[in-house]
């Protein structure tokens, strides 16, 4: 028997609302989207947040906290979550990388099987618009960004892409990168401690390295995404000026634009959070201003991005120690204005 709350919400959603067409694939050029971290445990919160997201023009979200339902009660909540998303006309980018945690270039069969099982189980869920496969993963690298949780070789990444495609040939796969260095920069940033499973041969030659980077972009995903968060960044001397912010975005997007296939959509993930909420950033760090967010968005489009997404909505609605940090509500209002402007482009 369904839980009462899940049943009531599911019935309400099925009785009306803005539904997407069954098994529809979202147009990457027409997305108005952002990241959330909510999951399906608190359905009252899901109902409230999706309604506010939809009212702000959002039609696509990536939810880090949404998990594959393993039991009947979880399935009830998962179905209710998807029904709310359908009612509000919001497509979901479903994160698969949680299933890959613990994988290495030498041992990944269990984790890959788990990820493929999720694709098989959820491939008929019409509100899932894309598989969000890898988050900040560079081949063979370990111990930084997404590779703190797992590491794969380039061959494993390509094989996983093809395996997902065999199960679900129509739904797009997404990967996001926060850095796309050339070989010299790669060798400067990382050493043998970052390659516990072996140093890849392509680090020895510029041409081979570039071929591998192109293959990573072109053969491991359908949509290319890059995330750039320069406002108040701890690695920048000047993380607040429009010039410095625009430069950081421009460099990363142009690099991705050079590596991708012309047919692949390129999406910039821009910053809508304060680095201090993650225990990083300078004393002068703060939530991005409207002007700074607009600068990131414009720099992304100028450098070749087809669209942009915000990271993140949940940083602007969650409380820290029971209160809203200074500037948080202002940034949420500014983000809603940015989302409205993006929606008007379409």
């Amino acid at each position: 028997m369904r839980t009462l709350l899940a049943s009531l919400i599911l019935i309400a959603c099925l009785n009306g609302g803005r539904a997407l067409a069954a098994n529809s694939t979202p147009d990457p050029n027409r997305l108005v989207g952002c990241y959330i971290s909510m999951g399906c445990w608190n359905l009252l919160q899901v109902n409230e947040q999706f309604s506010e997201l939809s009212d702000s023009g959002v039609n696509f979200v990536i939810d880090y906290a949404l998990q594959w339902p393993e039991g009947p009660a979880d399935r009830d909540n998962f179905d209710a979550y998807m029904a709310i998303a359908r009612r509000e006309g919001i497509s979901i980018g479903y994160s698969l990388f949680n299933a890959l945690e613990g994988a290495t270039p030498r041992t990944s069969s269990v984790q890959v099987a788990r990820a493929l099982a999720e694709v098989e189980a959820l491939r008929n869920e019409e509100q899932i618009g894309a598989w969000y496969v890898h988050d900040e993963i560079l081949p063979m690298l370990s111990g930084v960004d997404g590779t703190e949780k797992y590491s794969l070789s380039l061959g494993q990444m390509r094989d996983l892409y093809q395996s997902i495609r065999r199960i679900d040939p129509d739904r797009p796969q997404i990967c996001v990168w926060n850095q796309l260095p050339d070989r010299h920069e790669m060798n400067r940033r990382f050493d043998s401690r970052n390659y516990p499973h072996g140093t890849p041969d392509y680090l020895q030659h510029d041409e081979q390295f570039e071929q591998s980077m192109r293959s990573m972009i072109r053969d491991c995903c359908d949509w290319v995404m890059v995330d750039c968060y320069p406002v108040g960044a701890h690695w920048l001397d000047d993380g607040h000026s429009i010039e410095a912010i625009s430069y950081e975005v421009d460099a990363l997007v142009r690099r991705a634009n050079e590596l991708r296939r012309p047919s692949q959509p390129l999406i910039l993930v821009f910053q809508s959070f304060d680095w201090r909420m993650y225990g990083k950033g300078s004393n002068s760090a703060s939530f991005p201003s409207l002007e700074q967010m607009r600068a990131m968005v414009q720099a992304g489009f100028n450098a070749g991005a087809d669209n942009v997404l915000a990271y993140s909505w949940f940083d602007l609605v969650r409380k820290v120690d029971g209160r809203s940090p200074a500037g948080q509500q202002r940034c949420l209002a500014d983000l809603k204005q940015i989302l409205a402007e993006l929606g008007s482009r379409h």
Side-chain angles (χ1 to χ4, degrees), residues 52-126:
E52 187 176 5
L53 285 160
S54 181
D55 288 344
S56 300
V58 171
N59 58 25
F60 181 75
V61 300
I62 295 169
D63 189 344
Y64 276 148
L66 186 63
Q67 298 287 321
W68 182 32
E70 296 182 353
D74 293 333
R75 184 73 208 193
D76 290 343
N77 283 4
F78 190 90
D79 288 345
Y81 175 105
M82 290 297 175
I84 296 168
R86 182 162 60 253
R87 182 196 70 199
E88 299 297 344
I90 295 175
S91 180
I92 308 298
Y94 182 83
S95 297
L96 287 173
F97 56 81
N98 295 317
L100 295 171
E101 186 167 351
T104 75
R106 300 182 187 278
T107 57
S108 65
S109 59
V110 171
Q111 291 85 359
V112 168
R114 190 162 58 213
L116 295 178
E118 291 194 11
V119 174
E120 181 67 45
L122 298 174
R123 66 191 178 103
N124 292 321
E125 174 51 64
E126 64 189 53

Side-chain angles (χ1 to χ4, degrees), residues 18 30-34 36 47-61 88-90 270 310 313 316-317 329 331-346:
R18 293 164 284 189
R30 300 181 67 85
L31 300 180
V32 178
C34 55
I36 62 175
N47 193 56
E48 177 184 331
Q49 285 298 303
F50 272 159
S51 178
E52 187 176 5
L53 285 160
S54 181
D55 288 344
S56 300
V58 171
N59 58 25
F60 181 75
V61 300
E88 299 297 344
I90 295 175
F270 68 94
W313 178 279
L316 302 180
V317 296
Q329 293 181 358
C331 191
L332 178 60
D334 289 343
L335 177 60
K336 289 180 179 179
Q337 184 169 340
I338 294 287
L339 294 171
E341 292 169 359
L342 292 170
S344 68
R345 293 180 67 252
H346 309 319

Side-chain angles (χ1 to χ4, degrees), residues 119-256:
V119 174
E120 181 67 45
L122 298 174
R123 66 191 178 103
N124 292 321
E125 174 51 64
E126 64 189 53
Q127 288 310 117
I128 295 179
W131 302 115
Y132 189 65
V133 184
H134 298 299
D135 187 87
E136 300 179 348
I137 299 291
L138 292 174
M140 300 296 290
L141 199 68
S142 293
V144 295
D145 305 320
T147 66
E148 292 181 340
K149 295 185 176 180
Y150 69 92
S151 176
L152 295 176
S153 69
L154 179 56
Q156 288 170 313
M157 294 173 72
R158 287 192 296 237
D159 289 346
L160 178 58
Y161 171 80
Q162 290 297 336
S163 295
I164 294 172
R165 192 164 194 175
R166 282 192 289 271
I167 298 172
D168 188 2
D170 298 322
R171 192 174 274 119
Q173 298 178 48
I174 305 173
C175 293
V176 63
W177 287 274
N178 65 334
Q179 55 179 325
L180 294 168
D182 61 21
R183 185 178 73 88
H184 297 283
E185 185 63 19
M186 190 82 173
N187 285 328
R188 187 189 71 81
R189 294 180 187 179
F190 307 110
D191 57 31
S192 60
R193 292 170 294 182
N194 298 112
Y195 301 105
H197 309 289
T199 304
D201 293 338
Y202 58 74
L203 287 176
Q204 306 304 316
H205 304 284
D206 288 344
E207 183 176 350
Q208 189 177 4
F209 182 85
E210 289 301 299
Q211 289 175 349
S212 296
M213 293 295 280
R214 281 193 293 272
S215 179
M216 179 185 72
I217 295 290
R218 298 179 182 191
D219 302 331
C220 299
C221 67
D222 300 301
W223 298 359
V224 180
M225 290 174 55
V226 291
D227 52 355
C228 191
Y229 310 138
V231 179
H234 54 284
W235 65 85
L236 292 178
D237 293 332
D238 181 3
H240 292 278
S241 74
I242 296 300
E243 293 76 13
I245 291 168
S246 299
Y247 177 84
E248 290 292 308
V249 171
D250 179 89
L252 183 57
V253 174
R254 287 189 187 279
R255 174 68 165 154

